[in-house]
Amino acid sequence: QVQLVESGGGLVQPGGSLRLSCVVSGISSTIYTMNWYRQPPGEQRELVAAITSGGTTKYADSVKGRFTISRDNAKNTVYLQMNSLKPEDTAVYYCSLDKVISRQGTQVTVSS
């Protein structure tokens, strides 16, 4: 059974940084596109970043230049480095392996 477990969220001041991690178990993530989604309070889930098996990345316009997605296939892990955080980045962040989205998520709160 595929399991996705995120970590690294927390409370950070505007302008700060966080690095999220998502560990995949139950399957090798090597051949799959991995994604980060987020769901702000009262809003729909949105795709933040994606990375293909070949390392090609894409980002939502709102995070380009501030967030970086990466993966370590040896560790079956995908990361999201978030810099220059803004209050509007506040959300629960979820990772996905292809179309399988984690049920857990990790809360990111950007506030002074």
Side-chain angles (χ1 to χ4, degrees):
Q1 183 176 357
V2 177
Q3 286 194 321
L4 306 166
V5 179
E6 303 94 338
S7 63
L11 172 64
V12 63
Q13 292 186 343
S17 298
L18 284 173
R19 188 175 85 149
L20 306 183
S21 300
C22 173
V23 179
V24 180
S25 61
I27 194 171
S28 172
S29 63
T30 304
I31 64 170
Y32 295 97
T33 292
M34 299 293 297
N35 310 285
W36 283 98
Y37 291 84
R38 68 185 180 187
Q39 186 165 16
E43 299 183 29
Q44 291 190 333
R45 187 178 297 169
E46 61 178 350
L47 178 65
V48 174
I51 184 167
T52 68
S53 58
T56 300
T57 59
K58 69 174 183 179
Y59 299 92
D61 288 343
S62 59
V63 307
K64 280 180 183 176
R66 300 188 299 121
F67 290 12
T68 303
I69 188 171
S70 61
R71 66 193 298 164
D72 185 335
N73 290 332
K75 295 182 178 180
N76 232 16
T77 300
V78 63
Y79 304 97
L80 186 68
Q81 177 67 43
M82 307 186 295
N83 299 327
S84 301
L85 283 161
K86 304 175 180 180
E88 51 264 44
D89 295 318
T90 295
V92 179
Y93 284 72
Y94 301 87
C95 66
S96 82
L97 181 148
D98 198 15
K99 299 187 187 303
V100 178
I101 299 176
S102 164
R103 295 182 181 182
Q104 174 186 318
T106 186
Q107 176 71 48
V108 172
T109 302
V110 184
S111 175
S112 55

